[in-house]
Every structure is written in C-alpha cells, then in structure tokens.
Amino acid sequence: MILNRNYFINIIIVLGLLLFFSVRSSIAEEINFEVSADRNVIMIGQGLNMQIKFSNSKNVPALRLPDIEGFRSRYIGPSTSMSIVNGRIASSVTHIYSLVPLKTGKFNIGPFGFDHKGNTYKSNTLMIEVKDSLNGGENAGRDKGSGQAINDRISVVMEADRSKAYLNEMIPLTIKLYIDGLSVRDIEYPVFEHDGISVDQFKEPRQYQERKGGRVHDVIEFSTIMFATRSGNLSIGPARIKSSLMIQKQRRRSQSAFNGFFDRDIFGYEKHSIELLSEPLSLNILPLPRDGRPDDFRGAVGKFRMSVESSPSEVSAGDPVTLKLSITGEGNFDTVTSPVLKREEGFKIYEPQVTKSANKKVFEHVLIPRAETITRLPDLYFSFFDPEEGKYTELIKKDLPLKVLKPQKDEELMVFDAPQSAKKRPARETLGRDIIYIKGSPGKFRTAGAYLYKNPIFYIINVIPLLLLISLWILKKEKARLSSDVGYARRLLAPKKAKRGMDKAAKHLGRNEPDEFYDAVSKTLREYLGNRFHLSSGGMTVDIVDTALRNKDIDQEMLQDIKTLFNECDIARYSSKEHGTAEMEATLTRLREVINYCEQIKQ
Amino acid sequence: MRNLTMLLFKQIIAVIVLVISASSVYASTEIEREESPEYIFYQGNGHYKDGLYDEALVEYAKIIEDGLEGGNLYFNMGNAYFKKGELGKAILYYEKARRFIPNDSDLRSNYKYAVSSLKNTVDDAESSFIHDILSMPETLTIDGLTLLLSALYICIVILFIAIIYFRNIKRPALISIAILSALWVLTASSAYNRASAIDIEAIIILKEAEARFEPIESATLHFGLTEGMKVQILESKPKWLKVKRNDGKSGWINKNSAEKIQAEK
C-alpha cells in the first residue's frame, strides 16, 4: 500500500516537471500572428469569416480592428486550442470576425499590428475580391459596374407631393425603400423629424417592382399625409428605416445532394442590422392670405361641401330639433370646425356632437325653438380656404324652413289632473350642473404683467393736478398780497416801469433829443426809486434820496452815481449847456447800472 | 456711350432689386402679423367646440407665449382644464381670469362650481349689504383700484381748489375731503395688498401635496394641501417652495405641486 502511494507521488512530480518545462518553453517562444479568411472571392450580399490566429499564446485579447475599406466588420468570438506534439505543448487563440462587403471590387485587408509584452507584431495581408452578382448566373444579364456600393442596392427615397403648400394644407408623403437583389427582413416603419409638421399614421405598405437606373428594384412604399402647422421654410427628415440584411453564410461544400437546398434556408443566412437614411426634404409653407378672409372663417383648409338635414320639420315650441351638418370633400379635416349659426334668436342651442370618418365630418346640433312664431332654422355659414384656387370660399345655407306649433299645454294639464296623480305633487325637477360655456370673443388682450400702477406715465399724469393746486394757491396768495401790500405791489412794478422808461430814453438818444432824453431819464429814475423803496416820486430830490437810501445798506459809490444822475438831469434841464451823444450814452449806461444794482439788493 | 448705357441699366436693375427686397421685408412683417391673437383665440375655441381640449389649450397657450393675457382667454383655458378633469389647473386659470374680469358672472359661477366640485360641497358665499360693501374692492381689478385711487385723489384736489376760490363752501368741502381721504386710504390699502399678492399667490395643482418642515424629501410631514387650494409663496428654492396656508401654517412643498397665479416672465 505504501509502495502504491510513493508511485503515485512520483508520477505527479514527473508530470509537474514536464508541464513546468513545457510552459516555460512555450512562453519563451515568439507569438505567431496570422490573418486568414474562409474564402477569397465573395458576392455582394454574402459574408465571410476572417480569423486572426495567435499561436504560442492563448492570452492575447481580440484586436480592435480599424475601419476596413469596403467592409463592415463585427467581432464574433475567440476559439482556443491546445495540442501536445512530441511532448511539447502548443496553445493558440483564434479571434473570429464577420465581414460584410459594402461594395464590389478587390480589397486588401491588413496588415494589422498589435503590441504584446513590449513586442510589436505585424500580420500578413489578405486579398478579397467582392463580386456584384449574388447568385452568379441569375443576374448575369444585369449591368455590373465595378465599385458598386451597397447603397446602390438598397436605398430610401422620401418624396412629398409638392414642395410649396399653404398652412394646414394636406400634402401626400411617400417613402420608398428600393431593394436590388438583396435579402432584407424585419423592415420597420420609417421614422423622421418633422418639426412644425403634423404627420398622419402610415398606411399599410405597398410592394411592387420599379425600374430605377436601368435595373429592376423591389419597392416597399410607405405613404401617409401631412400638413404644416406653421408657415415658413420647414425641413422634414431624413427618413430612417431600420431593417436586417440577410447575408449568406459560407458553408463547407460536401458531396451531399441536399446541400444546394440547405444553403438557402434561413439557417444559411446571417442577420445584420442596418439603418438606411433618405435625403431630407424642404417645404415652403405659405400662410393663409388675409385678403378676402370671411369673418366666420375658422381655419378650415381644403375643398369642402356642406349639406344640412333637420328633423323633424314640424315641432312644438320647446321640443328639440336635430340639425345635422355634414362637411364632406377633400382637405384637412382636423381644421374643420362646426359651421357658424347666425340669426339664432329664439333658439336654445346645445353643443354639437362631432363624428369624423374618412373625408367627412358631421356636426349634430340640438336646437330648441322657444316660440311658435319661429318659421325658419338659423342661417349656416361655413368658410374654408381652397389651396388649389388660392382663395376663400363661403358656403351659406339660409332660410331653411321649420314649422313650430304651440306647445300642447292641455295634454300636460290632463296629466296633472288625472285622479291618481292629483294627490301627488309633481316631482321636483332635477337639474344638471355644469360650467358655463367658453367666451366667444377674445375681449381685450394686455401685455403680461403690465399693470397701471407700474406705468411711470400714470404717475406723471397724477402729479399734474397737485402742481395745478400748488400753482393756484400761490397765485391766490400773490394776488391777495398785491391788493393789501402797496409797497410790495410798487416794488414788483418798479423794474417793468423802469424798463419802459429806459427804452423811451434810448429812443430820444437815437433821435438826438437831449431835453426829452434827460426828462425821460429823470422821470425813470425818480419813479423807479419811488417804487423800489416805497417813496413818493413827486417831490423827490437828491437829499430825500440820500436820506432814504442811507439806511438801505447801499454801496456809497452807487449812491454817488445816483446823485450824479440827478445832478446831470437837473443841469441838462435847467441850463443851456449842449450835451453830446457820448455824454447821453454814459448817462443811460449809468442809469442801467443803478437800476440793476438796486434790483439785486435785498429789502 | 455704350458703357454709360450699361451703367444706367445696372443702376435701374439695382433699384428694382432694392424695391423688391423692401417689399418682401414688408410682406414678411405682414406674415408675422398673420396669426393675430384673436385668430388664434378663435382657433382654440373651434377645438374646444369639437371637444379637443388639449388642442384648444395649445392654441390658447400660443397667445400667452406671445406675452399677452386676457380675462376671456384665461376663462376659456380654465374651462378647457375643467373639461379635462384637471380641477386644480382650472381653478388656477379662473384665478388668473379674476384678475381681469372679477365681476364676470360666468366666471364667478364656474369658479364657484370648480371649487365646490373639489370639496364636494356647494360653497355659496354669504350675501349681505355689509358683506357686499366690504368685498367691493374684490370686484375691481388692480388697474380698476388704481384708477379709483386716482379719481379720489383728483376729487380731493378739486375740492381744495374750490376752497381756495370759494370761501363760503369751505366747511362742506372740508367734510367731503375728509370722507374722500378716508376712502382713499382704504382703497390704497386694498390696492397695496392686492399688488403685494400678485407675485406670491399660487394654486395647488396636484391632487394632493404634502408640506414638510424642511425642504428635504425625508423631512417630517407638517400638513396636507389639496388640489385647487390657494397658498402664498414665502420662499423659493430650485426644487422646493415654502408656502403658507390660509390658517397661517407654513411648510415646504415640491415645486411642481403648485403654480403661481401670475406667470413669471
């Protein structure tokens, strides 16, 4: 038993040593780096597997491949292997990538490089030829242009019926998916941005074939209608369609007779998600014209007809009449609102019930005539804008007859007078309660937050009465003082009178009339001093002035000037001395200086 | 000579281009005026009549986005929210409308009905002469109160002027001035209160809102608020509002629970 245990331990030690040395030898060896493909010639619409094999190591991570011209790549996964040959362990890892060709031609793939533990490795180069035909002979007759991209084989085209339309006008929109000989599945409905445009749901897609660019394409057509909700230049799209491209997988050829069949089954294809983009569209949306817009226009755009049915045609006052207004035609029914009822006096009108179907909108009004004098239904007006004609059309239904009878009161009385109900009081009427209907007119709009008390002009206007009050009060006070205080009144008048006197003196100076000039100067001076200092102007002499002004805190020099003026005037008036113009000008200047000085002193 | 003709021709072309571009500028301004607020209002009414309340609200909101507001507009928006079953929002818009058309009987009726719908009771306000007198300032808009203040003030000024010029009416004029001044003070106080409340009043628009002691989700609950309740905003934080209830209690609520009556610019 002990022997057996020793034998087992020896085997483990030997195996461990072997493994240790073999691993050491494998680490010490260089990594081989090789790129290969399962085939070198493929057709567009098929895929191929590319393997990147790292020998002597199984720990190399997958390379992040750069963009490969003419192909779209996808990492599938790793595959590791280990082999012992002549007691030597060899390990390797193969990273597998799927490549899908995007266009035809001959392409070089690689070389690829990678760094591992400080060493840089470089792979070999692969040459792959991508041919146009999917099924060889089947498409042999078609044009095989070299360098044809997958975009030429599958594309999306978005088309609007017209690029110029009016606001709210219906515009048919078509999105076509063109497929040329490719297998495409899981096609989703198109999606696109449509800011400012309302788009209806897509109808069931239509499939047919169409010749485009000299080749027959399978077409899947998505159609809908749209309308713009604002005017201006609007952009729509690009339309995106998500789908899956089925790429034929490579299978190893075998001699089996069934392989030809199984190559084409669902399991023989690989699915690749693709997203296709169309070109965007631009639309020029015109606003509805203002000219000729009827008052009752509520925004309907299209070409419509209006029909009216009313029932019954003969009712008692207080009984309901149903007015059924049908709007039919072509256009944007979202913009169609109930026709306007005019001359509806004498009717109680309830909100209409609206039913909408394809190309038809029906408004059912319930009307109750209040009096038997009514002979007609209200007039009906419906206006719409016809984008084809480019003008508004108003449909009017007038004078629709209605016979209203007297309410049958007798019958009601009979009911209440019946013996079994005579004792019972009529049940109290139960009335419904609801909110009162919306306002029909917009009333006055105001800038948000623009309150009167925030408006500075309002305050300025309000200050005016206060200023008026203050002014009138001052005026009244002034008037009262003028009438009671003679000295004050004289003082106020003094400069005005003096100015007139000086003007008169200046005139005489201009005419060279010395006597009149000095008379005017003397009179002006006496009057001014009399008024200004409340003195008697009549008997004013130099002495009186001197005595009166001595207490007034007047500059002595100025007092002397006043005296000089008096003297000059007296001399001129009572002597025969001739006076020149210059002398008179000096006198007038002195008079002005005296008056100006006196005006400045306080009293 | 030929060069001169070419130059003249180019100048004529330039003038024509200028005239056309100027007229296109005029046309573009016309386009801007195309959708007048009245037109949009009627569009909204059209949708409302068809029972398309969301579409009606979209149209009405366009007018507000243009920086305009009006009593009838807010009334109709209140109705649309009422029909949608959003009573809090309905009351909010009726409150907005009350700032423009406080005397409108339709508005009073709908407002009262919306409030009673929330409380499940009919909330008929007491009506008496004294109540009517005291609530008179409520029947005026802020602009109406401002104009009333201005009118009272002008009357006082006129009476003062009359005293200055007609001494014999001094006594009755002074009594009138005293009465008018008292009225002016009362009106001014009411106008001041109303103007102060413009930017702080809000309505609870969620079915229920919880006021907490602190602006933190985990804070202790203080009191509850129900849809349509009017509150005063005391303080605002990015996600919280400090509000005061009518009974004087104040607490923090989530910002999306309430909406100010006066929309912020």
Side-chain angles (χ1 to χ4, degrees), chain A residues 313-443:
Chain A
S313 57
E314 192 175 305
V315 287
S316 300
D319 286 351
V321 180
T322 306
L323 189 62
K324 191 173 169 184
L325 310 171
S326 304
I327 305 295
T328 52
E330 284 180 2
N332 188 347
F333 275 87
D334 286 343
T335 60
V336 172
T337 56
S338 172
V340 177
L341 277 67
K342 294 184 179 176
R343 292 210 296 164
E344 78 281 17
E345 302 84 20
F347 285 93
K348 183 171 174 60
I349 300 168
Y350 290 90
E351 274 189 68
Q353 280 198 334
V354 186
T355 48
K356 192 177 164 188
S357 55
N359 295 337
K360 190 174 185 182
K361 208 166 183 180
V362 179
F363 302 89
E364 272 191 26
H365 285 273
V366 173
L367 286 76
I368 297 177
R370 287 179 167 137
E372 63 273 18
T373 50
I374 290 167
T375 57
R376 47 150 194 83
L377 286 164
D379 297 340
L380 302 162
Y381 290 77
F382 179 72
S383 298
F384 61 87
F385 178 75
D386 185 344
E388 281 179 23
E389 301 268 346
K391 63 178 188 183
Y392 293 92
T393 306
E394 191 171 32
L395 305 174
I396 304 169
K397 299 274 181 188
K398 276 182 163 182
D399 298 326
L400 299 164
L402 177 71
K403 193 171 181 184
V404 183
L405 307 169
K406 267 191 170 181
Q408 295 169 330
K409 281 183 180 173
D410 294 343
E411 280 181 23
E412 286 171 24
L413 285 169
M414 290 270 292
V415 172
F416 286 114
D417 288 346
Q420 58 269 51
S421 62
K423 291 173 188 170
K424 290 181 188 172
R425 299 182 71 180
R428 193 174 172 183
E429 195 178 13
T430 311
L431 299 172
R433 204 173 169 204
D434 203 347
I435 53 168
I436 292 168
Y437 195 54
I438 52 167
K439 302 278 181 193
S441 72

Side-chain angles (χ1 to χ4, degrees), chain A residues 288 293 436-437 439 462, chain B residues 34 49 76 104 110 150 153:
Chain A
L288 300 183
R293 182 185 287 174
I436 292 168
Y437 195 54
K439 302 278 181 193
N462 271 276
Chain B
E34 182 63 35
K49 284 172 190 168
N76 287 7
D104 189 272
N110 285 6
S150 186
Y153 149 78

Side-chain angles (χ1 to χ4, degrees), chain A residues 167 288 290 293 298 433-442 445-446 448-449 451-452 462 466 476, chain B residues 30 34-35 42-43 45 49 67-69 72 75-76 79 83 104 106 110 113 143 150 153 164 262:
Chain A
L167 195 71
L288 300 183
R290 296 176 74 191
R293 182 185 287 174
R298 298 288 182 265
R433 204 173 169 204
D434 203 347
I435 53 168
I436 292 168
Y437 195 54
I438 52 167
K439 302 278 181 193
S441 72
F445 289 119
R446 191 189 71 181
Y451 291 102
L452 197 57
N462 271 276
L466 190 67
K476 180 80 179 167
Chain B
E30 282 293 302
E34 182 63 35
E35 290 203 340
Y42 289 125
Q43 290 268 48
N45 280 8
K49 284 172 190 168
L68 297 174
E69 53 185 6
N72 290 4
F75 176 84
N76 287 7
N79 273 16
K83 289 285 182 186
D104 189 272
D106 293 350
N110 285 6
Y113 183 47
D143 280 351
S150 186
Y153 149 78
I164 291 169
Q262 178 72 47

